[in-house]
Amino acid sequence: MPVPAADPDRTAGLPAVATGQSVEVRVPATSANLGPGFDTLGLALSLYDTVRVRTVTAGTTLVRATGEGSAVLPTDGTHLVARSLLSTLERAGFAAPGLELDTTNVIPHGRGLGSSAAAIVAGVLAGNALLPADRRLDDAHLLQWAAQLEGHPDNVAPALMGSLAISWESGHAYHSTRVEVHPDIVPVVAVPGSVLSTESARALLPASVSHHTAAANAGRAALLVHALAEDPSLLFPATQDSLHQDYRAQAMLPSATLLRGLRAAGFASTISGAGPSIMTLAVGTDGAEAAEETLRALLPTLDTPEPWRVLRLTVERSGAKVGVHQG
């Protein structure tokens, strides 16, 4: 469901959470799909947005943003973090007396690295921390609520839990389980200057695929979980996708060209989420250096007006962190 905007008519008469509270939330970037794990697999990465929230008596919401997207993001209650926070309070039967939010954005926006999921998780966790202790959601309900606001769990789950998250839907409920990732795996992410909306990328997918394609992809997705957890030597065949990357290539031709070049060189590379970033799952320091060297050779050949960034990251093992100070 879309994250609703604050509506005074809906919250009129609700008790306000206490003023003088201060909450800080740090949420990691995430990469969903990882090739064949379409809408089911997500990996937490060591790139973080930080949100600091204070409850004040002003009766309004003010957001001050720095970093990625700060020049164009809203500064009031329509900001995605604020909407998610206020929705979390309202869900529990509370309103906000007034909010001041300071956000430090490091996760690139519109690049397939889970920036919207990070904003939603930050707002949900901050709102939950502001509630009276006996009204707070437990971990399972936090996942369910964040996934409902995002519309799917594949990014919010690793953002909350860390490491690799496997997610599924049963009835009207979302579920996820965490898998520890092999310590030798090093994510290397190439981030373009251009953006791509998830909605635009999803619109390019076919309504159905053959049983042969589905079976092939299921086998690779199963192999990928094993490769990520136990045997990184299998990452290259395990990251072969049949469901979405080729269909989306027309919307991000430079990314598709870069992906083909990396895989031709033997790297376990995938589109990160809906794109257009490219993630390579390298093995060890030597593998990461080799991936970066190959990227340095391939990137100048792409027909792109804006430069790419190459980030060597680690797997974030713990997920989002919350610190609370009661004034």
Side-chain angles (χ1 to χ4, degrees), residues 2-327:
V3 183
D7 183 349
D9 291 338
R10 286 201 313 266
T11 57
L14 294 179
V17 295
T19 59
Q21 298 188 80
S22 179
V23 177
E24 179 171 307
V25 183
R26 189 180 77 154
V27 185
T30 50
S31 181
N33 301 329
L34 310 178
F38 181 67
D39 279 1
T40 60
L41 298 183
L43 189 67
L45 304 172
S46 60
L47 199 66
Y48 308 93
D49 283 356
T50 302
V51 177
R52 298 172 183 84
V53 181
R54 289 174 296 280
T55 54
V56 295
T57 59
T60 58
T61 298
L62 172 65
V63 182
R64 294 179 288 259
T66 59
E68 295 281 343
S70 58
V72 296
L73 291 172
T75 60
D76 57 13
T78 63
H79 190 288
L80 184 54
V81 174
R83 279 189 283 143
S84 302
L85 190 163
L86 292 166
S87 294
T88 301
L89 296 182
E90 183 182 343
R91 180 186 185 279
F94 286 83
L99 297 172
E100 292 184 357
L101 289 79
D102 289 282
T103 68
T104 303
N105 301 329
V106 177
I107 304 170
H109 289 194
R111 308 305 206 287
L113 291 168
S115 61
S116 65
I120 287 170
V121 167
V124 167
L125 290 179
N128 196 54
L130 293 173
L131 291 168
D134 63 347
R135 302 298 295 273
R136 292 173 190 159
L137 299 174
D138 60 19
D139 290 346
H141 287 93
L142 283 170
L143 170 66
Q144 180 69 20
W145 178 235
Q148 285 182 29
L149 293 178
E150 173 75 347
H152 45 83
D154 49 339
N155 285 105
V156 298
L160 285 165
M161 304 162 64
S163 198
L164 172 70
I166 306 172
S167 300
W168 67 98
E169 186 176 357
S170 178
H172 297 291
Y174 297 106
H175 307 274
S176 295
T177 189
R178 181 183 179 279
V179 176
E180 192 63 53
V181 174
H182 195 285
D184 290 349
I185 293 176
V186 182
V188 177
V189 181
V191 184
S194 59
V195 302
L196 177 67
S197 75
T198 300
E199 292 76 14
S200 297
R202 191 170 287 273
L204 297 171
L205 300 179
S208 62
V209 298
S210 69
H211 280 86
H212 175 77
T213 297
N217 218 70
R220 301 295 175 131
L223 180 62
L224 179 56
V225 174
H226 174 70
L228 285 165
E230 301 289 343
D231 190 355
S233 70
L234 294 170
L235 282 169
F236 181 77
T239 49
Q240 181 65 48
D241 165 70
S242 304
L243 284 185
H244 65 104
Q245 292 184 162
D246 288 345
Y247 296 107
R248 289 169 162 172
Q250 59 183 292
M252 43 182 156
L253 291 176
S255 298
T257 300
L258 181 60
L259 179 62
R260 285 194 297 270
L262 285 164
R263 292 194 66 85
F267 292 99
S269 301
T270 70
I271 298 292
S272 182
S277 295
I278 301 292
M279 185 172 70
T280 298
L281 295 170
V283 182
T285 301
D286 290 346
E289 290 176 351
E292 290 170 344
E293 182 178 350
T294 302
L295 282 166
R296 285 193 291 270
L298 290 172
L299 286 173
T301 69
L302 301 179
D303 183 18
T304 55
E306 297 173 307
W308 289 62
R309 290 178 283 168
V310 176
L311 307 173
R312 186 192 301 192
L313 305 174
T314 60
V315 176
E316 163 53 47
R317 306 280 170 175
S318 302
K321 296 178 173 61
V322 183
V324 181
H325 172 70
Q326 299 284 354

